[in-house]
Amino acid sequence: MPLGKKVRPSSAAGKLETCTTTSIFRNLRPVTAKTTSSRASSTRQQARTSIPEARAGLSPIGCLSEVGQNECPEWLEKEPLKQCHRRHSVGLSQNVATNENIQKFGETLKSLRRAKIEQQVSLAHLKNIQAAFQESESKGRTSLDVDAFRIIMKSVGNHGINDDQIEELFRKIDYSASGLIEWDEFCTYLQLKYKEIEESRVRSKHTSFSLPATIRELSHMEQILHIYFTPDEIFVMMREDGTISFWSSQLKLKRSRRLFEKPFNRKPKWITDFTIMYQYNKFILSTGDREIQIYELSTFEPHCQITGFETSPLQLDYCSTGADDCMILFGDDQGCVNILLLSSVAETLRKWKKCPNVDNLPSISIENSVLSPNVTYIRWKVHEDWVAQLKYYDSITAVITSSNHEATALVIGCTTGTTNLEKQIKEMKECWKEGKATKCLSPCVPQKRLECDQSVFCVHKGVKTFDFCKKKNLLVTGGMDRIVRMWNPYVPGKPTGLLRGHCAPICFLCISTDDNKLFSVSTDNTVKIWDAEDHCCLYTANQKASQIKGDISACLYISKIKALCIAADVIALLYLRIQPLPQPHHINSHKEAVLCCIYCKEFRQVISCSEGSVIKVWDLDTGNLAFEFSRAHGDSAVCCTAFDDSGRRLITGGRDGCVKIWNHNNGHCLKILKKEGRCEEICDCIFVEIHKNNYVLAVGWDRRINIYSDSSDDLHHVQPPQPRWQDDLKWGHKDDILCIAQCPPSLLATSSYDGETIVWNMISGHICCHLQSPSTKVHRDGEAIDRSVNKVIFLKTRALKIELGASLVTTGPQGSLVFWNLFNGGQLFSSFTASRAKSPLSSLGAATNDSLLYMADYIGYVYVYGIKDYAVQGPETDPPKIVNYWRAHVNSVTCMELIEEQNVIVTSSFEGSVRLWTMDGELIGTFGQPQPWDIYAPASWMHPMVPHEILVDPLSLPIHPLLEEENSVIISLNQNEEKDQIAASKDLQHKSPKVIISDEDIKEEIKKVSVQNNLGKRLQQERYKSLNRPPNHGGPTAYHTLKYFEINAPNPCEKPDLSAIGTDPYDAICFSESTVDLQICA
């Protein structure tokens, strides 16, 4: 039945009446026009029922009326239909259920579109809020609680916010959980928030050059005047002495030729500029002899020349204006703009080629050339100094010129000009009064444009270079004052922006329309990249980094290859570092490897930290990025995270050896915790309470437990650690400490790289017990197995009960998991291989009731084991039952966070992705993906899909049961062989009591000792990088690809005939010469 039709109720009790059944998507879709039909008007009305709540309850998606007309996600439209089957007869129970369902998804849509208060506060709102704070201070209340703050925020006139948003903003500002905030704290929060948002925008646009530049050395000759890049990707360069050269895009010289020969009786010609006529396969030269020459581009043969100009052309340009029409423009040393308008160009060039030769070149003077109807010569007096740059832009049909004269620094003018009728009538009247004929001015006499024909820009110290972009309506200038000015070409009075940063005069500018960037080059060989919208400097390459030597004479930016070509004493090519295009099936949350992540219950956020020292805050409900800030620990990676007991302050530890406390909602660093002197890498940190005082414990490569006090009374921004425990100094760890875990109220566990785990009493600082990982064998090649304990957790429901067996779980070598009982000095209760591929475990997590144990390994798998009754009564020999497992990432899982209140898991990996899963292994999504999700709507999840890189990776393939049995058979055979060898060795010992130590045994023992000595401190990031290498999926190695050739056996060498020595003419000649020399000497 179509939606929007009144139907008769099926109930005969008379309690139900007909109601209008409208589409539930009506209010979700944008309203394009008002419907005037009777049926459309009837669908917006509702019939009364005997149920009092029906009028409010049956309003379809009425709660979404304030959302607006934005388009909603597709899954949000389909989810209500999947969750509830609709009926045409509406009863009380269905009315309530429909209302709850609509409210649920309406709130979801509002959460997706709702803007934060920080984004809605305007300057007027800030003034009103400040006045409200001042009024409260006048009454003696310097601080406001949440109720007073709510009243102020609602009284400023911003009606689009609700109480939940106000309370959330209050908690973000009140990071110390004191319950009070001040005006200064409010302003500080907003200022830092806006600052980090702006820096985040700049970071997203970051670009750079591949340094050093590609350099090609040049011979010591004249400088290069101009660079052109042809459509077939060839560089054409012209020197002052007339040498033209062609280079490939890789700066390989293809050909070169000198156009002029050096004369004997006079000075050689020198080139001032050149340009290319692509339409006619020719190029044009301007020389210091006040002439313009035209050559064939393919053969370099001279075609013709135009002589007799009154001034020397300095800047040259060419533009095609029609099918057989063109324009040649040049600026001279008197500040004039000269324009040659040519029609029927092919015919005109043929006529010029037939002119008489001068210096073996067909020549025609400018006076004779303008006699032809196909040639028009126009000369404008524009500047009071020589023309520094000239360029014709066909998009605005105007020519732009610049000079060092401040009053006419840059001029945008037309080519032909408009007719000045008043001036012509005045001249005609004067000639008629004097009885003379009308004056006929020579075309070589410069004229001035009318004010309406040009726009003049006055710039301090003039303009040396400029560029124009019609698409952006942007004009940029640079010169001797070292400032890049940005103009609206139609507003010459004042620049729209000033870009400062160069320390020398600017000699080149270019606007890249595709990248929305601006390139500037100064005479000290410094290259800068600017953002054309934000007017900020994105990158600076100095001379030392780029290795460009000499004075810059020409520059050209080629958007096709994303490179900047610079000509100086060398030819340099600076390539832009182009970020690889994102793969359509691969989504990254970070650009670098993600080393840790944590869940903030207070604000329902997920915080992830990367190796590039970038911290991102994600919304758990939608997966959208809420906030980010960079350089948290400078250039060092962020290795570990924790939260205080209030959940409002983030604690991070980095490779720089510092522990920092943050307000992660605005990137405010509240405190720095570090020791004096050299600081080692921090591997893990936690927040604990000891003797009703708060502390931050940090462990790392210094092999000690660093205790920092967290007191609000301490006003020092940088705080040193407390004195260390005596047991830590005497009997603490002997190698790098990798992780730390606590079990309130008194237990603490730390584990190190050498496989040792120590359990501490936090109250007294004494050691409870030492636990050593089970011994492992050494491989036959002499390499030891990694015995490091990466993670340790307490089973808190068992920790303080002696009758509940194992209460501590640690990782072990080769993907093993170890259960420990902490009483009686610590006992090993169980050890089994948890990873199916025997890959080391990287993360652990336990459910609140300790019934399920979650773990992740180095190849990206997540395993779930049921341990409710495991190792409770005593030691166990068999592993617990595996409940579920799936592959979450293709690389190592660096961190795994359980969020039991939502029944989800957050995982992070070296590949840069942070993903959200259900407890059953269903993929909800990757943080940062384009399409947001709703954690309550399964229709918005990625399940049943899995990430593409996991799907195609060979390690994701399941292991066949036959292969598992085959492996078990091989293992049993190996065990039997070992037993037989042991029995045989025992028999030999009975037969020969004398112990024989061979050289092989000594060599093996030396290897063991060397391996044990090498198990000290190592660079953990190097291990991370080696683990992050792409897996080897097989294929031919370098050895397999070697080619072999058959070598024919050489002929056997025959013994030389010594009797033939005397017959050798060469020896005879040498012998005769030597005897003559001896006679002379005698």
Side-chain angles (χ1 to χ4, degrees), residues 24-37:
I24 64 173
F25 307 135
R26 180 174 61 86
N27 287 6
L28 288 175
R29 293 171 180 154
V31 180
T32 56
K34 294 183 179 180
T35 307
T36 57
S37 62

Side-chain angles (χ1 to χ4, degrees), residues 249-500:
S249 57
Q250 290 78 28
L251 291 186
K252 293 182 179 180
L253 182 61
K254 301 178 75 68
R255 57 176 175 160
S256 177
R257 181 177 173 179
R258 183 163 183 165
L259 301 177
F260 307 136
E261 296 182 358
K262 291 184 178 180
F264 294 100
N265 55 354
R266 57 188 176 89
K267 293 182 179 180
K269 288 187 178 182
W270 54 278
I271 307 298
T272 58
D273 201 1
F274 99 108
T275 185
I276 299 178
M277 303 174 68
Y278 292 108
Q279 189 176 2
Y280 304 98
N281 194 31
K282 292 177 176 59
F283 64 91
I284 310 172
L285 300 179
S286 61
T287 69
D289 294 341
R290 296 181 296 176
E291 59 190 14
I292 292 177
Q293 298 181 353
I294 302 175
Y295 286 77
E296 298 290 341
L297 184 60
S298 55
T299 61
F300 303 143
E301 295 297 328
H303 187 86
C304 62
Q305 67 177 354
I306 306 173
T307 61
F309 293 105
E310 292 189 358
T311 55
S312 298
L314 299 180
Q315 299 292 326
L316 194 63
D317 195 17
Y318 165 83
C319 179
S320 176
T321 57
D324 198 20
D325 301 334
C326 72
M327 183 187 305
I328 300 176
L329 309 94
F330 65 89
D332 56 27
D333 54 0
Q334 292 185 1
C336 297
V337 176
N338 302 265
I339 304 170
L340 275 173
L341 300 175
L342 305 180
S343 59
S344 303
V345 178
E347 180 183 354
T348 303
L349 292 178
R350 283 194 298 269
K351 289 182 180 180
W352 288 355
K353 189 173 179 61
K354 298 177 182 179
C355 294
N357 289 351
V358 177
D359 294 336
N360 298 324
L361 191 65
S363 302
I364 184 172
S365 64
I366 185 64
E367 290 83 0
N368 295 330
S369 63
V370 297
L371 298 177
S372 172
N374 297 332
V375 180
T376 303
Y377 180 52
I378 304 172
R379 192 177 183 204
W380 299 109
K381 179 62 177 178
V382 180
H383 304 280
E384 299 301 327
D385 200 350
W386 67 69
V387 179
Q389 186 177 348
L390 177 144
K391 182 70 175 176
Y392 177 79
Y393 293 93
D394 193 30
S395 58
I396 57 175
T397 62
V399 57
I400 304 179
T401 56
S402 66
S403 71
N404 292 328
H405 185 243
E406 293 186 6
T408 57
L410 185 133
V411 178
I412 304 176
C414 60
T415 55
T416 57
T418 57
T419 304
N420 191 348
L421 296 178
E422 293 181 0
K423 184 178 180 181
Q424 290 184 2
I425 293 172
K426 184 178 180 181
E427 291 178 354
M428 291 174 64
K429 287 182 178 180
E430 290 178 356
C431 294
W432 179 74
K433 288 181 181 180
E434 296 176 0
K436 298 179 181 180
T438 307
K439 297 179 181 179
C440 183
L441 297 176
S442 172
C444 297
V445 177
Q447 301 179 17
K448 287 191 176 182
R449 292 193 185 105
L450 299 176
E451 293 184 0
C452 61
D453 290 341
Q454 65 180 12
S455 298
V456 181
F457 296 76
C458 300
V459 181
H460 179 60
K461 293 187 178 181
V463 173
K464 192 174 183 180
T465 180
F466 65 85
D467 195 19
F468 172 73
C469 177
K470 174 62 178 178
K471 183 177 180 181
K472 299 289 183 181
N473 196 30
L474 177 64
L475 174 69
V476 292
T477 62
M480 299 297 294
D481 61 350
R482 303 166 297 176
I483 299 175
V484 179
R485 291 176 171 85
M486 310 180 74
W487 307 80
N488 184 332
Y490 303 103
V491 185
K494 186 177 181 180
T496 59
L498 299 177
L499 307 181
R500 306 176 188 269

Side-chain angles (χ1 to χ4, degrees), residues 18 43 172 213 231 236 348 377 420 662 719 816 845 856 882 908 1034 1038 1062:
T18 56
T43 57
K172 289 180 179 179
V236 183
T348 303
Y377 180 52
N420 191 348
W662 305 85
Q719 182 177 337
S816 61
I882 183 170
S908 62

Side-chain angles (χ1 to χ4, degrees), residues 589-590 594-598 606-610 614-618 641 908 914 927:
S589 307
H590 286 261
V594 182
L595 301 184
C596 53
C597 64
I598 193 171
V606 174
I607 292 88
S608 59
C609 308
S610 72
V614 177
I615 298 178
K616 291 189 177 184
V617 183
W618 308 92
T641 56
S908 62
V914 183
F927 287 96

Side-chain angles (χ1 to χ4, degrees), residues 123-278:
L123 183 61
H125 292 154
L126 281 177
K127 291 181 179 179
N128 295 334
I129 295 172
Q130 183 184 15
F133 268 96
Q134 291 176 352
E135 182 181 355
S136 177
E137 290 179 1
S138 63
K139 296 179 181 179
R141 297 183 59 185
T142 59
S143 302
L144 300 181
D145 57 6
V146 62
D147 295 330
F149 183 71
R150 185 187 302 110
I151 294 174
I152 288 178
M153 294 302 295
K154 286 191 173 183
S155 64
V156 297
N158 192 353
H159 303 290
I161 57 177
N162 52 35
D163 293 345
D164 294 338
Q165 290 177 291
I166 297 174
E167 292 177 2
E168 182 181 357
L169 177 61
F170 183 88
R171 285 185 278 115
K172 289 180 179 179
I173 300 173
D174 183 25
Y175 57 83
S176 61
S178 62
L180 299 172
I181 63 172
E182 299 179 356
W183 167 249
D184 294 340
E185 294 177 344
F186 179 81
C187 293
T188 301
Y189 172 82
L190 291 182
Q191 181 181 5
L192 294 177
K193 181 90 171 181
Y194 295 149
K195 178 183 176 182
E196 289 296 337
I197 291 175
E198 184 64 24
E199 291 181 356
S200 175
R201 287 187 58 200
V202 174
R203 285 194 303 271
S204 64
K205 300 178 180 180
H206 176 72
T207 185
S208 62
F209 289 114
S210 298
L211 298 177
T214 304
I215 301 293
R216 290 295 178 268
E217 298 290 340
L218 295 175
S219 57
H220 296 285
M221 300 174 66
E222 300 296 334
Q223 66 180 4
I224 294 175
L225 292 175
H226 216 125
I227 305 173
Y228 276 92
F229 191 73
T230 62
D232 53 349
E233 299 187 1
I234 298 296
F235 287 102
V236 183
M237 304 182 188
M238 178 68 72
R239 290 179 178 268
E240 282 186 349
D241 58 358
T243 302
I244 184 171
S245 55
F246 294 80
W247 303 75
S248 67
S249 57
Q250 290 78 28
L251 291 186
K252 293 182 179 180
L253 182 61
K254 301 178 75 68
R255 57 176 175 160
S256 177
R257 181 177 173 179
R258 183 163 183 165
L259 301 177
F260 307 136
E261 296 182 358
K262 291 184 178 180
F264 294 100
N265 55 354
R266 57 188 176 89
K267 293 182 179 180
K269 288 187 178 182
W270 54 278
I271 307 298
T272 58
D273 201 1
F274 99 108
T275 185
I276 299 178
M277 303 174 68
Y278 292 108

